[in-house]
Amino acid sequence: MTGTTPGLKVYPIDFADFIDFVAKDREAKKFLLRLRDLAQKRGEFLYFAGGMVRDYLLFKKGRLSFKEIKDSDLVLEGNLEEFLQELNGGIKKEILFKSQFLTYKVRVFLGKISLEVDFITARKEVYEGIAQLPKVFPSNFLDDLLRRDFTINSLAIGLSPPYEGLLLDPLDGKKDLESALIKPLHLYSFVEDPTRIFRGIRYTVRLDFSFAEEFYQALEVCYQKEALKRLSSTRLVNELRLYLLKEGEDLLPDLLETTYQLGVFENAGIEVARENFPVLCEVLKEIKEEFSPKERERVYLLGLVATLSDLERLGFSEVEVKRLANLLHDIKGLCNRIKKLSLKEKLDWFDKIRRDYLCAFAVIFPELKEEVLRYLKIYSKVRPELNGEDLKKLGFKPGKDIGEILKLLRLKRLEGTIKNKKEEIEFLKNFLVKNQ
């Protein structure tokens, strides 16, 4: 181990093995080496930082499988815009996104494959207020590592000189990684950026790590300063979304319980229905194939809160909260008699309620769960083969009665008394004769 910057520890690694880990095919490896050569030619330092380095070290210790690796940052200490422009020669690429924080998401086309690469400018961040987004300034690699959320993410591996093939560790992140600890960089870390709390919880649950004592100390300072309450609804919801969308349903129960036990929900100004966590996670698993990610996100947020008023903290409009309050009143009456209702009566109820609301009500009132899931997975998918135009051709007059006849056909389909289009036509002909 050697060090060329005060406080910085530098370790040798098997660089070829790391490149094999990062780039699994020949074209991707050639692209990385081309990036290295360009950075060297320009006299700029290019390196991997954060999640990719953390996950590589965990992978080498057998604590992480390759399929679990989620994060990758490729950082340049230099002018990233000019670097990407100079990369143009012979490489087809598309800039998908450029942010105010000096980052680019780029799709690169390499023969038969394409890669999405996150390029980041080495930067320094200055926080001017509690829970406010920082001002960012291009800086050096050390400032870039010292702005990170946790010590295990403040590690880097150089892709180009002067630290090519070396592991850089300014804050003993390697030691914390080996000790399986989530440690913030300083006491006011969560005051500056409360979203780090949620990321820390995700790492702890995903990696089966523990919180360092410094995590609890920083959390207490955050609560004293009421930083979580100052976090915007948009940023708060985004962090809660990542529990579901990035970590998944299997980890969700532990994520929610850990967040509750730490007092994060309460200090963020949300009263949650902890007793509903198990059924919420069950419902989200059940609807994974049925719902879009956006619909599942809404079910998740709706089922999370203890009172409808908390939904406004999660970005729901006052109008929608009032609409839900009216529906909730009606649904309460339905719960006591759901088992006694006929299939037609259940369909009449469920057909008029949005399906994300239905799932949320199944979480709030677990006695509805079985019926709601049956409706979503079976009843809602059954439709007659005939349509309104077909009914007109058979002699039915245009108007609302056609809608009622189609509902009747659907009911007969569900009951099994009608099985195909031919039987639908026969049923309707008999229906016309009886009602002439």
Side-chain angles (χ1 to χ4, degrees):
M1 181 189 77
T2 60
T4 58
T5 300
L8 176 68
K9 295 178 180 178
V10 183
Y11 302 89
I13 63 163
D14 185 337
F15 192 46
D17 182 67
F18 175 69
I19 294 297
D20 285 341
F21 174 82
V22 174
K24 290 300 180 184
D25 57 71
R26 188 168 61 89
E27 290 301 320
K29 288 176 187 174
K30 285 173 60 178
F31 175 65
L32 281 182
L33 295 178
R34 180 162 182 174
L35 293 176
R36 178 201 62 186
D37 293 345
L38 178 58
Q40 185 170 0
K41 172 190 167 188
R42 290 173 54 84
E44 296 173 331
F45 180 38
L46 185 66
Y47 57 97
F48 284 95
M52 180 61 76
V53 178
R54 175 198 71 221
D55 291 347
Y56 170 69
L57 296 176
L58 288 173
F59 177 74
K60 297 306 293 181
K61 292 290 186 180
R63 294 199 57 169
L64 197 69
S65 66
F66 186 78
K67 66 181 180 181
E68 293 175 299
I69 295 161
K70 296 177 180 286
D71 302 309
S72 174
D73 291 348
L74 193 55
V75 192
L76 182 74
E77 182 183 285
N79 189 317
L80 185 54
E81 188 169 359
E82 289 182 1
F83 181 90
L84 292 174
Q85 287 174 352
E86 194 167 340
L87 186 63
N88 278 337
I91 290 182
K92 183 181 178 183
K93 68 181 187 299
E94 176 187 5
I95 294 179
L96 303 175
F97 176 74
K98 177 183 177 181
S99 87
Q100 61 180 327
F101 299 116
L102 310 176
T103 67
Y104 292 77
K105 181 178 284 291
V106 180
R107 180 179 290 127
V108 182
F109 301 92
L110 305 171
K112 295 181 179 180
I113 69 167
S114 66
L115 299 175
E116 285 191 10
V117 184
D118 291 320
F119 287 99
I120 298 171
T121 303
R123 65 184 191 254
K124 184 174 184 175
E125 295 180 342
V126 176
Y127 291 85
E128 296 185 337
I130 294 174
Q132 299 297 309
L133 291 172
K135 289 187 175 181
V136 299
F137 307 92
S139 189
N140 57 61
F141 80 93
L142 196 56
D143 279 344
D144 184 67
L145 297 180
L146 296 177
R147 71 172 176 82
R148 305 272 166 166
D149 48 11
F150 302 103
T151 57
I152 64 168
N153 290 332
S154 65
L155 298 162
I157 291 178
L159 186 60
S160 70
Y163 296 104
E164 181 178 357
L166 296 173
L167 173 66
L168 309 179
D169 182 7
L171 295 167
D172 278 333
K174 182 173 178 287
K175 179 181 176 182
D176 289 334
L177 197 65
E178 291 167 351
S179 301
L181 288 175
I182 301 298
K183 183 190 295 183
L185 272 59
H186 56 86
L187 191 60
Y188 284 83
S189 178
F190 303 156
V191 174
E192 290 179 346
D193 184 358
T195 66
R196 291 170 175 163
I197 299 168
F198 299 95
R199 293 202 294 279
I201 292 170
R202 284 170 43 214
Y203 296 140
T204 300
V205 172
R206 185 203 308 167
L207 303 174
D208 194 24
F209 275 28
S210 299
F211 297 118
E213 183 59 32
E214 290 86 346
F215 187 97
Y216 295 106
Q217 293 169 354
L219 197 62
E220 184 59 33
V221 173
C222 173
Y223 291 166
Q224 290 172 2
K225 298 290 185 181
E226 297 190 331
L228 272 167
K229 286 188 171 69
R230 301 193 193 188
L231 192 64
S232 70
S233 292
T234 300
R235 294 179 71 198
L236 174 61
V237 168
N238 186 58
E239 293 304 318
L240 292 174
R241 283 176 64 250
L242 293 176
Y243 279 6
L244 175 65
L245 302 182
K246 194 163 186 178
E247 305 302 332
E249 295 82 357
D250 290 339
L251 297 183
L252 188 59
D254 286 342
L255 291 165
L256 294 178
E257 182 63 22
T258 303
T259 307
Y260 179 86
Q261 291 291 348
L262 289 173
V264 175
F265 288 122
E266 180 183 357
N267 281 277
I270 310 169
E271 183 182 354
V272 295
R274 183 192 182 195
E275 67 279 7
N276 289 345
F277 287 174
V279 68
L280 173 60
C281 295
E282 285 177 30
V283 168
L284 288 168
K285 274 189 175 183
E286 289 283 352
I287 64 173
K288 186 170 185 178
E289 303 302 321
E290 314 288 330
F291 280 31
S292 68
K294 188 65 178 176
E295 285 179 304
R296 289 173 62 241
E297 176 192 326
R298 285 177 57 82
V299 172
Y300 165 54
L301 295 175
L302 287 165
L304 195 60
V305 298
T307 65
L308 292 180
S309 59
D310 289 294
L311 289 174
E312 292 189 41
R313 178 71 176 108
L314 297 180
F316 288 77
S317 70
E318 185 179 348
V319 171
E320 185 170 14
V321 171
K322 286 181 179 178
R323 185 190 312 137
L324 280 162
N326 292 332
L327 274 175
L328 192 64
H329 179 269
D330 294 338
I331 289 293
K332 282 181 181 177
L334 177 65
C335 289
N336 298 326
R337 51 196 181 91
I338 187 69
K339 299 295 184 184
K340 299 177 182 178
L341 295 182
S342 67
L343 177 56
K344 180 181 183 305
E345 289 171 321
K346 291 173 186 176
L347 293 175
D348 287 343
W349 263 102
F350 292 160
D351 281 346
K352 64 185 179 183
I353 300 175
R354 280 175 45 162
R355 62 184 199 161
D356 54 347
Y357 291 171
L358 271 180
C359 285
F361 293 144
V363 173
I364 298 168
F365 304 108
E367 58 267 44
L368 289 180
K369 187 184 80 167
E370 185 179 328
E371 291 293 342
V372 166
L373 291 177
R374 186 179 293 115
Y375 170 79
L376 291 170
K377 290 173 172 285
I378 301 173
Y379 300 161
S380 66
K381 296 180 178 180
V382 174
R383 289 288 183 268
E385 293 186 51
L386 298 176
N387 58 36
E389 291 303 315
D390 295 324
L391 266 62
K392 292 176 189 177
K393 291 175 183 177
L394 288 170
F396 288 89
K397 294 180 180 179
K400 64 179 182 180
D401 287 347
I402 283 185
E404 294 302 315
I405 297 299
L406 289 173
K407 286 182 181 180
L408 180 59
L409 282 178
R410 175 191 177 200
L411 181 62
K412 295 298 180 182
R413 281 267 190 172
L414 287 168
E415 291 173 341
T417 56
I418 292 178
K419 297 182 176 62
N420 52 51
K421 185 174 182 180
K422 181 179 178 181
E423 291 181 4
E424 286 181 11
I425 293 171
E426 191 64 30
F427 172 81
L428 291 179
K429 286 180 178 178
N430 291 333
F431 182 88
L432 282 171
V433 170
K434 290 178 182 178
N435 287 275
Q436 280 180 346

